[in-house]
């Protein structure tokens, strides 16, 4: 069944003869019944003929219109935004079949919509296919790109210069979390810069971390 499927009475007519055995054409017969080729169902069409002697001959043909087996299956997903995060249409494609139920590949489908894996947001990508009968099948996948929860918190401090004054990177470290919000320790971070606690001055120390998504 489908918008491109057609049917005519001639499709089920094979042959007919009159009382003398001479061939008849479809136009010599009376046809009753109809078929809707766009809707699945069982239809009966009757072909009848009455000869010169008044003998009526009828034959009924059964036309079965089956539903298309074309299907598309996709899946939703969640990604972490970042410069290393990648996405392709195949990531959310599960399977697809044509009108006869045979497997289709992603290249047989039309894909509309796009995903920017570097920016947090909700994206929709639609996979569609038009079968031989003209039926259009589509399925939409939702891709949620979430922002990284990676964070670092530090504090400034003032020291009095002197031979007994000490400093370590841990003195100005408060807390840090990874992309999933889990706590990190100072050893998970990169620390650049140094402090000479014996000499007065303004020092800058940078604490950095690169998460799994490349942020």
């Amino acid at each position: 069944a489908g918008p491109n499927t057609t049917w005519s009475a001639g499709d089920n007519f094979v042959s007919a003869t009159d009382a003398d055995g001479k061939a008849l054409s479809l136009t010599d017969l009376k046809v009753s019944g109809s078929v809707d080729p766009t809707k699945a169902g069982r239809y009966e069409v009757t072909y009848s003929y009455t000869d010169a002697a008044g003998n009526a001959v009828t034959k009924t043909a059964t036309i079965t219109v089956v539903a298309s087996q074309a299907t598309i299956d996709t899946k939703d997903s969640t990604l972490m935004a970042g410069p290393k995060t990648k996405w392709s249409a195949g990531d959310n494609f599960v399977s697809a079949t044509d009108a006869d139920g045979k497997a289709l590949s992603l290249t047989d489908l039309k894909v509309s919509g796009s995903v920017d894996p570097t920016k947090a947001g909700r994206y929709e990508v639609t996979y569609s296919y038009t079968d031989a009968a003209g039926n259009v099948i589509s399925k939409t996948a939702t891709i949620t790109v979430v922002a990284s929860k990676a964070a670092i918190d530090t504090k400034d401090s003032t020291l009095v210069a002197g031979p007994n004054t000490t400093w370590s990177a841990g003195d100005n470290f408060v807390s840090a979390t990874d992309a999933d919000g889990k706590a990190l320790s100072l050893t998970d971070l990169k620390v650049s810069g140094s402090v000479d606690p014996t000499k007065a001055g303004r020092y800058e120390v940078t604490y950095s971390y690169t998460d799994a998504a490349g942020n």
Side-chain angles (χ1 to χ4, degrees):
N4 291 346
T5 305
T6 59
W7 179 86
S8 68
D11 295 342
N12 294 84
F13 173 68
V14 178
S15 64
T17 55
D18 63 12
D20 298 320
K22 293 180 180 179
L24 297 170
S25 66
L26 181 61
T27 56
D28 297 314
L29 310 183
K30 178 183 177 182
V31 180
S32 59
S34 62
V35 176
D36 185 346
T38 67
K39 294 181 180 179
R42 184 176 179 274
Y43 302 88
E44 289 189 348
V45 177
T46 300
Y47 300 76
S48 60
Y49 172 73
T50 303
D51 63 20
N55 299 297
V57 181
T58 64
K59 189 68 180 289
T60 299
T62 300
I63 299 91
T64 304
V65 181
V66 296
S68 170
Q69 296 181 52
T71 60
I72 297 174
D73 188 21
T74 61
K75 62 183 178 181
D76 297 336
S77 63
T78 300
L79 305 174
M80 184 75 68
K84 287 185 179 179
T85 304
K86 305 295 181 185
W87 179 86
S88 69
D91 296 340
N92 295 81
F93 172 68
V94 177
S95 63
T97 55
D98 64 13
D100 297 319
K102 293 180 181 177
L104 295 171
S105 66
L106 180 60
T107 56
D108 296 314
L109 310 184
K110 177 183 178 183
V111 180
S112 57
S114 61
V115 176
D116 184 346
T118 67
K119 293 181 181 179
R122 183 177 180 275
Y123 303 87
E124 289 191 346
V125 177
T126 300
Y127 301 74
S128 59
Y129 172 73
T130 302
D131 67 19
N135 299 293
V136 179
I137 300 93
S138 66
K139 188 74 179 290
T140 299
T142 299
I143 298 89
T144 304
V145 181
V146 298
S148 170
K149 294 180 180 179
I152 298 174
D153 189 21
T154 61
K155 62 183 178 181
D156 296 336
S157 63
T158 300
L159 305 175
V160 176
N164 292 338
T165 304
T166 59
W167 178 87
S168 69
D171 296 342
N172 294 83
F173 173 69
V174 177
S175 63
T177 54
D178 64 12
D180 298 317
K182 294 180 181 178
L184 295 172
S185 66
L186 180 61
T187 55
D188 297 313
L189 310 185
K190 177 183 178 183
V191 180
S192 57
S194 61
V195 176
D196 185 344
T198 65
K199 293 182 180 179
R202 184 176 181 274
Y203 302 89
E204 288 191 347
V205 177
T206 300
Y207 300 74
S208 61
Y209 172 75
T210 301
D211 66 20
N215 299 293

